[in-house]
Amino acid sequence: MQDTARAASHLSFEFFPPRTPAAVARLEQTRGALTALGPEYFSVTFGAGGSTRDLTLETVIALREATGVDSAPHLSCIGFPLAELREVLARYRDQGIRRLVALRGDMPSGTTGFGELRYANELVEFIRAETGDHFHISVAAYPEVHPQAAGARADLAHFKCKVEAGADAAITQYFYNVDAYFRFVDAARDAGIDIDIIPGIMPVTNFTNLKRFSDMCGAEIPRWMMKRLQDFGDDRASIQAFGIDITTALCDRLLAGGAPGLHFYTMNQHEAAVAVCAALGLGRSR
Ligand code: FAD
């Protein structure tokens, strides 16, 4: 591992909007610990259909005011009427927000109705048509292929549509297979996509949650990892130590192989991300 401090040119941390006073307090602690790493920005998720529209904005504003770190709301278009999207964009702009993560979103199972925009490329087009170059726009990318895609080639073509619509950068779904990332970046470059593709990193801290999320979003947990995690049972300390170890090794290989940065899915917890960044020598020189 690195023994000198190094910089990833893009370091960012993702949160979800807290809903209870205890969750707010937890995020306050988390944002303090992560601000010390000098991230480029924080981002805050947005519930599909607009279910967190006010909470996402409030969380972004609170983060920015408390930390001075640039903070970006996510915006998802599925099930969200155009008139409301327009209103949300205007509010973001009025608040001086300059960065967005633009997504399709996933409707909760059992709900129907896609809204007026069906795919994220249409959302990017809409944002550019409404607001020109005001926002830096990141979109999602899937090294292990989006679960609803017809195939890898179709998914890459759809990713390219988002870039052609005006995306500035991409953040990937999390993965534990480094080759999947590098092969995806190579395929994107061959397809003429030249924006930064920042790997999304999910530190391993809890086997049950990881398994559930991974089943939903199509991220593969390698068999060897699954077996090791199963062996630990309820031994949380061992899971966490193992999780920090493998997440650090993953990030180290990504940065050594030329990944332009790291975006951490924090689940509003800082301990694992801080430990991984410390092991990588990241952040101290920022
Ligand atoms: P799209 O790019 O629209 O792709 C969705 C699927 O449709 C893919 O299978 C694609 O191949 C296919 N597709 C795209 N265009 C077309 C087309 N023209 N014709 C046919 N098929 C097409 N979800 C939230 O609800 N809120 C969040 O805040 C949030 N944050 C996220 C952050 C990151 C970094 C990532 C990676 C994901 C996030 N998600 C979030 C989850 C995301 O919304 C889901 O993965 C969703 O299923 C796809 O969103 P997308 O923007 O990639 O969609």
Side-chain angles (χ1 to χ4, degrees):
M1 221 54 63
Q2 300 292 306
D3 44 10
T4 52
R6 71 175 163 196
S9 40
H10 303 282
L11 179 64
S12 51
F13 298 101
E14 179 174 313
F15 307 125
F16 58 84
R19 288 184 183 274
T20 64
V24 170
R26 176 73 187 147
L27 183 55
E28 283 171 6
Q29 213 188 352
T30 293
R31 75 189 182 200
L34 296 177
T35 298
L37 297 172
E40 182 183 21
Y41 69 97
F42 293 135
S43 81
V44 181
T45 60
F46 186 92
S51 57
T52 66
R53 64 177 271 177
D54 295 334
L55 218 46
T56 295
L57 179 58
E58 284 163 23
T59 307
V60 162
I61 292 170
L63 280 168
R64 199 182 49 189
E65 283 178 356
T67 64
V69 175
D70 194 10
S71 297
H74 295 202
L75 180 58
S76 64
C77 60
I78 203 160
F80 203 39
L82 272 192
E84 286 189 46
L85 271 175
R86 191 172 281 123
E87 226 177 88
V88 168
L89 283 174
R91 284 174 72 195
Y92 286 173
R93 197 147 70 152
D94 290 348
Q95 290 295 334
I97 290 165
R98 301 301 303 251
R99 181 185 276 279
L100 288 178
V101 182
L103 303 142
R104 184 195 69 174
D106 288 310
M107 286 305 273
S109 56
T111 49
T112 53
F114 285 99
E116 285 142 287
L117 303 182
R118 292 178 65 107
Y119 297 110
N121 66 300
E122 297 168 13
L123 176 61
V124 176
E125 251 168 55
F126 180 75
I127 297 168
R128 289 290 178 230
E130 290 286 313
T131 63
D133 288 337
H134 179 82
F135 292 107
H136 175 284
I137 303 177
S138 295
V139 292
Y142 300 85
E144 294 184 321
V145 184
H146 185 268
Q148 290 155 12
R153 202 177 302 140
D155 209 27
L156 184 64
H158 295 142
F159 175 41
K160 190 172 181 189
C161 291
K162 296 193 275 197
V163 178
E164 287 171 347
D168 296 296
I171 304 167
T172 75
Q173 184 56 274
Y174 69 86
F175 56 86
Y176 298 102
N177 180 348
V178 185
D179 287 343
Y181 170 80
F182 286 118
R183 283 181 181 276
F184 177 76
V185 173
D186 285 348
R189 300 299 177 236
D190 287 347
I193 296 168
D194 60 4
I195 60 171
D196 277 338
I197 301 174
I198 316 283
I201 305 296
M202 175 76 91
V204 180
T205 54
N206 176 314
F207 177 57
T208 314
N209 286 349
L210 182 69
K211 172 107 182 48
R212 187 163 51 85
F213 291 140
S214 303
D215 287 346
M216 277 186 313
C217 71
E220 190 176 76
I221 310 178
R223 181 183 157 83
W224 66 270
M225 253 179 77
M226 191 112 89
K227 293 288 175 195
R228 291 286 308 275
L229 285 164
Q230 277 166 345
D231 279 352
F232 292 128
D234 293 332
D235 179 356
R236 290 183 56 195
S238 296
I239 293 174
Q240 278 169 10
F242 175 69
I244 288 167
D245 190 25
I246 53 178
T247 311
T248 303
L250 171 71
C251 295
D252 193 52
R253 288 182 63 195
L254 287 166
L255 294 174
L262 301 169
H263 176 85
F264 282 86
Y265 297 104
T266 69
M267 309 306 288
N268 292 10
Q269 314 279 323
H270 61 272
E271 292 82 353
V274 166
V276 169
C277 288
L280 291 166
L282 268 187
R284 282 173 288 171
S285 58
R286 284 168 166 270

